[in-house]
Amino acid sequence: MPDRTQRTITIDAPADQVMAVIADLRSYPEWVSAARSVEVLTEFPDGRAKTARFVLDAGVVKDSYVLAYTWRPDGKAVSWQLVSGELQKAQDGSYELVAQPDGATQVIYELTVDLTIPMIGMFKRKAEKVITDTALKELKKRVEG
């Protein structure tokens, strides 16, 4: 798997509020511009998604894929891996939340995507940067909104 793209942002809200937005996968189409639909396929006993199907439309890139989630017990991190996809052959990602002394939360987002179609590494890293930057900005807007 290639190098991970990592981005951070600070959100003016406590970590549990940020994680509540991240964990509410069903609402992603309301605030994630590329998300057309999200269907939670299976859940853990606490109600958090175990697997979910996403349909994305980001202009020239359209994809349908299933992710499997792992939620850290302390509620401060979540990671996911691709189970199946049309355009992707691998996706590994995570959000880690770090409480700040002023009550804000630093969000660390890591993402690696590998596509079924060949793509020059430079363009792939640029696409990952755009994806992570956009995701963090949309998350901040939703939480602080």
Side-chain angles (χ1 to χ4, degrees), residues 100-119:
Q100 301 299 294
D102 63 359
T105 302
Q106 180 185 41
V107 180
I108 304 163
Y109 182 19
E110 292 189 357
L111 182 68
T112 303
V113 175
D114 202 6
L115 303 176
T116 56
I117 58 173
M119 183 180 276

Side-chain angles (χ1 to χ4, degrees), residues 32-97:
V32 177
S33 59
R36 292 299 158 249
S37 67
V38 179
E39 176 188 5
V40 174
L41 303 174
T42 59
E43 294 180 339
F44 289 103
D46 66 1
R48 289 207 166 157
K50 187 173 189 178
T51 58
R53 175 178 290 111
F54 290 75
V55 176
L56 295 186
D57 183 350
V60 296
V61 177
K62 295 171 178 42
D63 197 12
S64 175
Y65 55 92
V66 175
L67 298 178
Y69 286 86
T70 303
W71 303 89
R72 204 163 73 192
D74 67 2
K76 304 293 187 227
V78 59
S79 60
W80 59 88
Q81 290 188 316
L82 184 74
V83 174
S84 63
E86 294 174 3
L87 186 61
Q88 300 174 67
K89 61 182 175 182
Q91 181 185 144
D92 291 300
S94 66
Y95 283 110
E96 183 173 358
L97 309 182

